């Protein structure tokens, strides 16, 4: 059983390195992979030594701009849509990040896998939550320490206000919430 878990963690570590996860994140999501092995996997997969420096640590930095708030909202909504369908939370992290890459294909991705990992951790410990805007019905991430003000915090409402015209929403499923929609906010930045 332990051997099977280690092999599963090794395969997941390779997948995480392909997504750009740094060794500390790989170790956190693949508990049976030791530090030296996570560094080796990262180096082999990416082709360079892992970058030095701290991982994202301040949850406020995940929402400093409306574009960051929007990108984080896409990841949070995707995670919310898959977390109950997958057996392991690590697989839900990977699925949510891949969904984010797919939804925003062709645009600059503001969230690295490491930043997405930090966001999802902050959601799990409830420093950040998702709320539904009572003006446009979009779900977005919200710092639980801030006063809830949809007009100021909702990235969709802000984009509409700045552009003076409605955002394009192309539903990818039955619902038009962030987990199944593609909303272009390039002009909002």
């Amino acid at each position: 059983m332990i051997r099977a878990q280690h092999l599963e963690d090794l395969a997941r570590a390779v997948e995480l390195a392909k997504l750009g996860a740094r060794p500390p994140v790989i170790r956190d999501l693949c508990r049976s992979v030791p530090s030296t092995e996570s560094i080796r996997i990262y180096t082999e997969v990416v082709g360079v030594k892992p970058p030095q420096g701290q991982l994202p640590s301040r949850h406020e930095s995940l929402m400093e701009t409306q574009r960051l708030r929007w990108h984080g909202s896409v990841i949070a909504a995707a995670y919310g849509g898959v977390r109950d369908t997958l057996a392991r939370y690590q697989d839900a992290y990977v699925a949510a990040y891949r969904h984010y890459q797919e939804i925003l294909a062709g645009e600059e991705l503001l969230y690295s896998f490491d930043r997405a990992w930090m966001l999802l951790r902050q959601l799990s410990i409830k420093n950040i939550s998702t709320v539904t805007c009572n003006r446009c019905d979009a779900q977005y991430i919200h710092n639980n320490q801030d006063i809830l003000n949809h007009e100021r915090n909702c990235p969709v409402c802000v984009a509409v206000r700045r552009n003076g015209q409605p955002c394009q929403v192309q539903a990818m499923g039955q619902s038009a919430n962030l987990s199944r929609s593609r909303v272009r906010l390039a002009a909002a930045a």
Side-chain angles (χ1 to χ4, degrees):
M1 179 69 172
I2 293 173
R3 177 82 174 139
Q5 179 63 46
H6 183 68
L7 292 175
E8 185 179 316
D9 278 353
L10 285 175
R12 185 175 291 111
V14 170
E15 182 177 19
L16 290 169
K18 287 179 183 176
L19 290 172
R22 290 168 49 186
V25 174
I26 292 171
R27 281 193 312 275
D28 184 63
L29 296 175
C30 306
R31 300 287 176 156
S32 71
V33 176
S35 177
T36 55
E37 198 164 5
S38 66
I39 293 169
R40 182 189 56 77
I41 289 169
Y42 182 93
T43 304
E44 286 178 9
V45 169
V46 178
V48 295
K49 287 186 174 187
Q52 299 296 311
Q54 290 186 327
L55 291 170
S57 59
R58 289 182 39 250
H59 69 274
E60 295 87 356
S61 70
L62 302 169
M63 297 175 280
E64 289 177 329
T65 68
Q66 291 299 330
R67 285 189 71 213
L68 279 171
R69 188 179 294 270
W70 166 250
H71 283 240
S73 298
V74 171
I75 294 167
Y79 178 71
V82 299
R83 76 173 163 233
D84 296 331
T85 63
L86 297 171
R88 297 177 52 101
Y89 76 95
Q90 297 94 330
D91 296 332
Y93 278 32
V94 170
Y97 192 73
R98 287 184 191 264
H99 185 73
Y100 165 67
Q101 290 177 316
E102 185 180 302
I103 290 290
L104 296 174
E107 296 182 28
E108 176 190 10
L109 298 179
L110 301 181
Y111 272 71
S112 64
F113 187 87
D114 296 339
R115 185 177 275 236
W117 165 79
M118 171 67 173
L119 170 72
L120 296 174
R121 286 184 59 215
Q122 294 300 314
L123 279 168
S124 71
I125 62 171
K126 309 229 185 297
N127 282 337
I128 295 173
S129 61
T130 57
V131 296
T132 301
C133 178
N134 58 10
R135 296 188 74 214
C136 70
D137 221 25
Q139 291 181 347
Y140 64 93
I141 58 172
H142 175 73
N143 183 346
N144 289 339
Q145 297 169 354
D146 287 344
I147 296 171
L148 189 60
N149 180 342
H150 291 303
E151 186 157 325
R152 180 178 62 97
N153 290 321
C154 175
V156 175
C157 288
V158 169
V160 169
R161 194 171 61 244
R162 284 185 185 164
N163 295 337
Q165 57 186 321
C167 296
Q168 295 176 316
V169 178
Q170 301 164 345
M172 297 178 70
Q174 297 172 354
S175 172
N177 70 26
L178 293 180
S179 66
R180 295 188 179 104
S181 301
R182 182 181 180 94
V183 178
R184 296 275 182 202
L185 292 179

